[in-house]
């Protein structure tokens, strides 16, 4: 068709996009429903051997977590990438993405997930496992981003738009989920206050027949989450100029920065370094650091910002640098784990890079590259 502005052509594209959307929701939903319905939950009775039950649950936990991270999430990413290559179809992008995501999924499957049973038993290995899982999934996200630009190196800068889209989808999904959850919770509370629902009967309803009703509930919940992700994608395309994610990430950055300084003061004021729960505290701080990094990953200083947002970006990176040095200090004096030390050195270098590029007006146009620097950092950590 020569004139792509005709109503007939627009109707074809609209209908094609609807088919893609419905297919995405159905395929991903079937994957998760099949996974949920096949989860075998051990029945408890008076003759249950608790020690044997603990071993069974540990093995099943490892198996289900492994399948979730190494199969469901990578395959979901791959199916999501189809949204970018089907209009028009790009076979090259599909094949490259499939090969790269399959290799990453195979790598994830080989990771020792049994460490998650007792993460404090071997803190170094547990943190290494978490970093590898996070790194692998960020790399998969990067692969999907390359599908977005159809592996055209000349369009690398457009990856920053892709990251904005992903964060917009996440935030819109959370908003949809929050609103609907609020409505459902309100209805439940009203029914409970009117003695229409009894907690005990509700629990019995969910656990009978090998948790069949609970699995059905989880299946409906998974369909809802997947649908909200796709509708969030539609919302982003309809409201592309809102940049909600950028505003949220900048607001969160200031809050996270304040919290990071508060944690440092709290640690030294109450001498938490000598606390018997230091391993647990350090693990929580480490997870907080991961969230800090992820939020900075979404900050996007290259998109138009005002002076206040510029200051927030600088404060956030300085706070991240201080908190990374603080965690490095804890590890050196309390644990001295080689891998965790490498992790913090890499992250410290990244925060320094962000600050240096931000302050160097001459190289300000290179600021958008920080997204790719993060990916390189995580690739380094993945193969340490």
């Amino acid at each position: 068709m020569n004139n792509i502005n005709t109503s007939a052509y627009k109707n074809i594209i609209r209908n094609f996009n609807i088919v893609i959307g419905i297919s995405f929701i159905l395929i991903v939903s079937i994957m998760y429903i099949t996974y949920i319905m096949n989860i075998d939950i051990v029945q408890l009775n008076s003759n249950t051997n608790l020690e044997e039950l603990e071993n069974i649950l540990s093995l099943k936990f490892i198996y289900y977590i492994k399948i979730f991270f190494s199969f469901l999430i990578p395959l979901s990413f791959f199916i999501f990438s189809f949204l970018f290559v089907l209009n028009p179809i790009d076979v090259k992008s599909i094949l490259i993405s499939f090969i790269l995501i399959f290799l990453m999924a195979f790598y994830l499957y080989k990771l020792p997930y049994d460490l998650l049973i007792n993460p404090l038993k071997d803190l170094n290995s547990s943190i290494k496992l978490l970093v590898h899982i996070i790194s692998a999934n960020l790399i998969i996200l990067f692969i999907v981003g390359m599908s977005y630009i159809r592996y055209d190196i000349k369009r690398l800068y457009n990856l920053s738009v892709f990251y904005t889209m992903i964060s917009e989808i996440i935030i819109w999904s959370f908003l949809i989920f929050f609103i609907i959850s609020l409505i459902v919770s309100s209805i439940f509370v009203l029914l409970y206050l009117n003695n229409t629902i009894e907690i005990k009967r509700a629990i019995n309803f969910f656990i009978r027949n090998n948790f069949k009703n609970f699995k059905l509930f989880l299946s409906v919940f998974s369909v809802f989450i997947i649908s909200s992700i796709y509708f969030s994608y539609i919302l982003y395309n309809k409201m592309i100029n809102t940049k909600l994610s950028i505003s949220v990430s900048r607001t969160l950055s200031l809050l996270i920065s304040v919290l990071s300084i508060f944690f440092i003061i709290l640690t030294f004021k109450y001498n938490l370094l000598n606390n018997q729960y230091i391993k647990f505290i350090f693990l929580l701080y480490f997870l907080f650091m991961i969230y800090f990094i992820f939020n900075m990953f979404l900050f996007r200083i290259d998109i138009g910002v005002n002076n206040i947002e510029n200051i927030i970006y600088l404060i956030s990176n300085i706070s991240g640098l201080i908190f990374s040095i603080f965690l490095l200090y804890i590890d050196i004096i309390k644990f001295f784990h080689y891998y965790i030390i490498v992790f913090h050195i890499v992250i410290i270098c990244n925060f320094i890079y962000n600050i240096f590029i931000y302050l160097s007006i001459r190289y300000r146009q290179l600021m958008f590259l920080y997204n790719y620097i993060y990916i390189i950092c995580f690739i380094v950590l993945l193969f340490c």
Side-chain angles (χ1 to χ4, degrees):
M1 184 173 294
N2 293 325
N3 189 359
I4 63 172
N5 294 316
T6 62
S7 59
Y9 180 82
K10 290 179 179 178
N11 285 331
I12 291 172
I13 295 299
R14 188 181 300 111
N15 293 332
F16 183 68
N17 288 333
I18 291 172
V19 170
I20 292 174
I22 294 173
S23 300
F24 170 76
I25 293 171
L26 287 177
I27 293 171
V28 180
S29 296
I30 289 170
M31 281 167 41
Y32 282 88
I33 290 172
T34 304
Y35 171 72
I36 291 168
M37 297 305 290
N38 281 289
I39 292 177
D40 184 22
I41 302 174
V42 178
Q43 293 290 314
L44 299 177
N45 55 57
S46 58
N47 298 320
T48 301
N49 185 316
L50 294 182
E51 185 176 346
E52 183 180 346
L53 176 63
E54 184 180 356
N55 292 331
I56 292 172
L57 291 177
S58 297
L59 290 172
K60 287 186 175 181
F61 174 80
I62 295 167
Y63 171 75
Y64 291 127
I65 289 292
K66 179 179 286 190
I67 294 300
F68 180 75
F69 280 122
S70 65
F71 175 71
L72 287 179
I73 291 181
L75 189 55
S76 301
F77 271 121
F78 178 65
I79 295 171
F80 184 70
S81 69
F82 272 71
L83 295 174
F84 313 127
V85 297
L86 288 179
N87 191 14
I89 294 173
D90 190 327
V91 177
K92 180 193 74 173
S93 294
I94 293 173
L95 289 176
I96 295 174
S97 297
F98 174 77
I99 293 170
L100 294 177
I101 291 177
F102 172 78
L103 291 173
M104 198 56 63
F106 180 76
Y107 171 83
L108 282 167
Y109 184 80
K110 291 295 183 180
L111 292 177
Y113 288 91
D114 55 299
L115 292 169
L116 293 176
I117 295 294
N118 189 356
L120 298 180
K121 187 175 181 181
D122 186 352
L123 186 63
N124 181 48
S125 297
S126 298
I127 287 180
K128 188 172 183 179
L129 171 65
L130 289 172
V131 171
H132 280 214
I133 291 172
I134 294 167
S135 300
N137 281 286
L138 279 176
I139 293 168
I140 291 174
L141 182 62
F142 182 76
I143 293 168
V144 177
M146 293 302 290
S147 290
Y148 179 78
I149 62 173
R150 295 173 183 257
Y151 293 90
D152 184 355
I153 304 300
K154 296 178 182 177
R155 297 171 59 198
L156 270 178
Y157 183 80
N158 287 338
L159 273 181
S160 58
V161 177
F162 169 77
Y163 290 124
T164 295
M165 180 188 70
I166 291 298
S167 51
E168 289 281 328
I169 289 172
I170 292 171
I171 290 172
W172 279 114
S173 297
F174 271 114
L175 285 175
I176 294 171
F177 173 74
F178 174 76
I179 292 170
I180 295 179
S181 297
L182 187 63
I183 294 171
V184 172
S185 300
S186 300
I187 293 172
F188 179 82
V189 170
L190 288 173
L191 292 174
Y192 176 73
L193 293 175
N194 291 325
N195 296 320
T196 307
I197 292 179
E198 293 182 11
I199 300 296
K200 187 175 180 179
R201 290 182 63 184
I203 293 173
N204 288 332
F205 173 78
F206 280 116
I207 67 175
R208 67 190 182 195
N209 297 326
N210 192 28
F211 290 80
K212 181 179 179 181
N213 293 326
F214 182 65
K215 291 177 183 178
L216 288 172
F217 169 77
L218 288 179
S219 298
V220 172
F221 179 75
S222 65
V223 174
F224 164 66
I225 293 295
I226 293 157
S227 301
S228 67
I229 290 172
Y230 181 72
F231 287 123
S232 298
Y233 171 71
I234 298 297
L235 277 173
Y236 170 75
N237 287 322
K238 295 290 184 182
M239 306 172 69
I240 199 164
N241 294 318
T242 60
K243 299 295 182 290
L244 178 65
S245 63
I246 297 173
S247 300
V248 170
S249 65
R250 289 166 184 168
T251 304
L252 283 176
S253 293
L254 191 58
L255 176 62
I256 294 169
S257 299
V258 172
L259 280 175
S260 67
I261 302 301
F262 171 76
F263 289 149
I264 295 173
I265 295 172
L266 187 70
T267 301
F268 287 112
K269 182 177 180 179
Y270 294 100
N271 196 23
L272 296 181
L273 294 181
N274 294 320
N275 191 289
Q276 60 178 325
Y277 300 110
I278 183 60
K279 282 188 176 182
F280 179 72
I281 294 170
F282 183 75
L283 182 60
L284 289 180
Y285 283 176
F286 188 86
L287 292 174
F288 177 79
M289 184 75 253
I290 292 290
Y291 182 73
F292 199 141
I293 295 166
F294 183 72
N295 189 68
M296 291 307 301
F297 181 81
L298 299 176
F299 196 109
R300 295 285 310 287
I301 195 68
D302 55 301
I303 296 296
V305 292
N306 55 40
N307 290 332
I308 294 175
E309 290 164 338
N310 274 313
I311 294 171
I312 291 174
Y313 183 77
L314 184 59
I315 291 173
S316 298
N317 277 290
I318 293 174
S319 300
L321 176 62
I322 294 171
F323 195 69
S324 296
I325 295 171
F326 165 69
L327 290 187
L328 178 62
Y329 168 76
I330 293 178
D331 186 61
I332 290 174
I333 67 169
K334 301 299 293 187
F335 310 112
F336 205 84
H337 293 138
Y338 166 75
Y339 183 82
I340 302 176
I341 290 173
V342 172
F343 171 83
H344 286 296
I345 290 174
V346 167
I347 298 306
I348 286 169
C349 291
N350 190 259
F351 279 121
I352 291 174
Y353 167 84
N354 289 344
I355 295 169
F356 174 76
I357 294 295
Y358 173 83
L359 294 176
S360 303
I361 304 299
R362 181 179 177 183
Y363 301 105
R364 198 71 177 275
Q365 69 273 18
L366 297 177
M367 179 56 71
F368 76 93
L369 286 173
Y370 85 95
N371 279 318
Y372 317 135
I373 299 298
Y374 271 114
I375 292 297
I376 292 169
C377 288
F378 279 110
I379 289 173
V380 169
L381 291 167
L382 191 65
F383 296 105
C384 275

